[in-house]
Each structure stands twice: as structure tokens, then as C-alpha cells.
Amino acid sequence: MITTTKVKLYPNETQKILLENHFGSCRFVYNYFLNKRDEYYITHKDAEKSSLNYFDTTKMLAELKKQYPWLYEVNAQSLQMSLRFLDNAFKNFFHKNANHPKFKKKGKNDYFAVPQYISIKGNRICFPKFSEGIYFKGSKEKLSEIKEIKQIIITKDAGDYYCSIIYEKEGNFPEKKPLSVENSVGIDLGLEKFATLSDGIAIENPRFIKKVEKKIKKLQRQLSRKQKDSNNRKKVVLKLQRAYRKLRNMREDFLEKVSIAIAKRYDTIIIEDLGVQDMQRNHRIAKSVGDVSFYSFRQKLMWKADKYGKNLVVIGKFAPSSKLCSNCGNLKKDLKLSERVYHCDVCGMSMDRDYNASKNIRKMGLIKVGLVQSEFTPVEMATSGLRGIYPYRQISIVEAGSLEH
Ligand SMILES: [Zn+2]
């Protein structure tokens, strides 16, 4: 099983310069080929080959290095990884899962990846161009379970350096419990509440997160009043970055605790897949989705389910999970987002909107794995998105991790 741990790096001054060179060169390569790929598309729109792929860009990178020899100073594989990330960004765009890739800005989400030749020697992590190793601190428990390091991603956050180690884990997981209707749960992730479970339990968004968000807003206002390039401004920027980091850590901690509690309690856990595009389309939802980090939650839930021998079932984006009556199956097409209580005109049932949705999600999941017969008519099946049910799509660590926030 592949998992990840984040450690803090303590580079010396020489290493800091080399790390900055890596961030800079990887950003340069990313932006350069983002532009090239756009240019190529504009001039070859109607040609048989209308776009550049990853392999085209790796060939072009070799030429680019001759033109800019300073690119030789950094790990060649890290530059190639930038092309890989760019390619993924374009693929997501082509598949309508994301917006068009954006140019990277200096000092904003600085990162680079190292895919090979990584080792940990004592309290140092060694990789190409850093053969003497960078001193680090991390969780001893996590580090002791590393069987093989697959990749590392180095990031900079509020002036500090971090390394996410993606690794193959030692040890076997317990055998999965059989899929069963008993002790199964549907989870509706939402705006008002973080999660509503089909047995009636609701998990509220934690208040401490709101507190930090308030502090962030205050700092943002302060920042807007500071003069450009002033020392005071720099101080506020650092404070703001630290507040963001605190917020991220709090969220991660919250998601970790919730996913453990759910994985321990239930044997079959059913959640809805979330289309990135749907979230982007609805701005109001997009904000909240960012807030509660649904993707991160799903990833954690998957890991915890493995750890405790439980089953995670992901159903396809099932549009009317909130519009269906969980009692009689009536589809209420005109249900508004503001209606917090689902009232069914056919059977007369009244129920909390999210609770009703979680019951539907559970039912759809049980149908998907064949434990329950579908009670829905073919027309409902066609309009419900049930045909779109597909297995869990693993998302990359970079997508799910803190880098994109
Ligand atoms: Zn009904």
C-alpha cells in the first residue's frame, strides 16, 4: 500500500540556494512548455496532430537545456516531473475536470518532485544534487514503516521547507470484512454540515476553523492597507502564510479524526464521487468544497478503510441524491438549494435534506455492489446518473495534498 508522510526540512544556507534553484528551474520549465503547448495548439488546430504530449516536451527540454545551461544545475528528473505535472494539468483540462493550466508565480506554491534515487540516512534525506542529505524531522512511527520510497515532493510554505515522502508501506492489512447491508452507512458531504450519515448522525464543521478564517480575513484587510514592498507588508504576508498553514493543519487533523471514527464504526462505507467540474460551476459550493477538503477526506477514508479492513464504495456522481425521496423514490425535480427540509408531495414524508440524501447514497451504494435490488424504474436510472457509476478513481497525491490549496 502506498501512503505518505510530510517531514520538515532544515537545509543549510548552500542547500537553501540549491532548493530555490530547483523551484525556479521547475517553474521556468513548467511555464515555458505551458506557453509552447498553447502556441502549438493555436498553429496546429486543424492539423492531424493538434497538440504536444509529454514525450514531445521531454525531447524539446533537451534542446532547451543547451540554450539555458543553468538548467543542468538541477536534477534532470525533477524538470521532467514538471512536464509530467503539466501534462496531467492539460489532461484534466481536456477531460473537462479542471480549468486551463495556469502559469506558476514565484513564491506561490513552490514545489518540485524527485522520482528516484532517494534514501534516508539517519536524520538526513538524500537525493540527487543533495547527496550529503538534508537534515529533517518527522514522525518516527511513520518513518519506521517505510519499505520503499516512491517519490518525494519538496515544498516551501511560509518560509519553511517541507518534504512529502510517498512510500510503500511495510506490513499487511487485515482481511476485508464481507460487504453487508448491516452496519453500512451512506455519507452526504455538504455545505451546511460537513457530513450527514444515513443513520442520522451529523458532523458539523468545526468552529475553530471559522475562527482562523476570521483571522485570515483580518490579515487580508491589513495587507491591503500596507504599502507595496514595505517591511510591514512583508511581515503581514508572513503572518498570513502562517495562518493559512495553521488552517490547513487544523483541517487535516479534523479530516483525519473523522475518517478514523467512521472507518472504525462501519463495515461498508458509501460516499458519492465528486466531479471537480460540478464544484467549479457552482461558485458557492466551490468555496465550501475548498473549506472542507472533500478530496483529502476521501483519500483518508480510503486509507483508513484499508487499515481497519473495511469497505469503501464510491458511487458515481448521482445528481438527484438530494432530489429523490428516500421513502418512496419520488423524484422532486424542482428542489431548491435553499430548501433545508425535503418534503415529499407523493408520500408526505418530511426529512432533513442532507439526511434524506445520505439515505439515498447508501441505497445506491448497496445496489452498486449487488446487495440490494434496484427499485428504480429504467427512466429514473437513466436520469439519475446511475449508469455513470464507476469505480473509485485514484487521484494523484499532488492533487490531493496540500500543494493545490
Ligand atoms: Zn416520498
Side-chain angles (χ1 to χ4, degrees), residues 16-29 74 82 104 107 109-112 153-157 160-162:
K16 272 186 195 170
I17 294 169
L18 194 52
L19 285 173
E20 293 297 335
N21 284 351
H22 274 77
F23 291 136
S25 297
C26 288
R27 182 174 56 240
F28 173 78
V29 164
V74 305
S82 286
K104 292 195 181 298
N109 293 335
D110 279 329
Y111 71 88
F112 69 89
I153 293 164
I154 316 279
T155 52
K156 192 179 176 185
D157 186 353
D160 294 322
Y161 299 90
Y162 295 88

Side-chain angles (χ1 to χ4, degrees), residues 10-19:
Y10 297 87
N12 62 32
E13 291 309 310
T14 322
Q15 290 173 332
K16 272 186 195 170
I17 294 169
L18 194 52
L19 285 173

Side-chain angles (χ1 to χ4, degrees), residues 92-140:
N92 281 333
F93 169 60
F94 293 147
H95 296 139
K96 298 192 164 52
N97 282 325
N99 290 328
H100 186 274
K102 281 194 198 113
F103 288 103
K104 292 195 181 298
K105 286 189 189 125
K106 190 181 176 181
K108 212 179 163 194
N109 293 335
D110 279 329
Y111 71 88
F112 69 89
V114 183
Q116 257 185 323
Y117 311 117
I118 308 145
S119 62
I120 290 174
K121 288 177 187 143
N123 46 18
R124 286 174 179 274
I125 183 155
C126 311
F127 50 96
K129 302 282 180 187
F130 296 86
S131 49
E132 76 285 14
I134 303 179
Y135 181 75
F136 76 92
K137 278 182 189 165
S139 149
K140 284 203 177 72

Side-chain angles (χ1 to χ4, degrees), residues 324-331 342-349:
L324 271 185
C325 171
S326 61
N327 189 42
C328 73
N330 166 38
L331 182 68
Y342 185 100
H343 181 79
C344 179
D345 301 327
V346 176
C347 72
M349 183 203 75

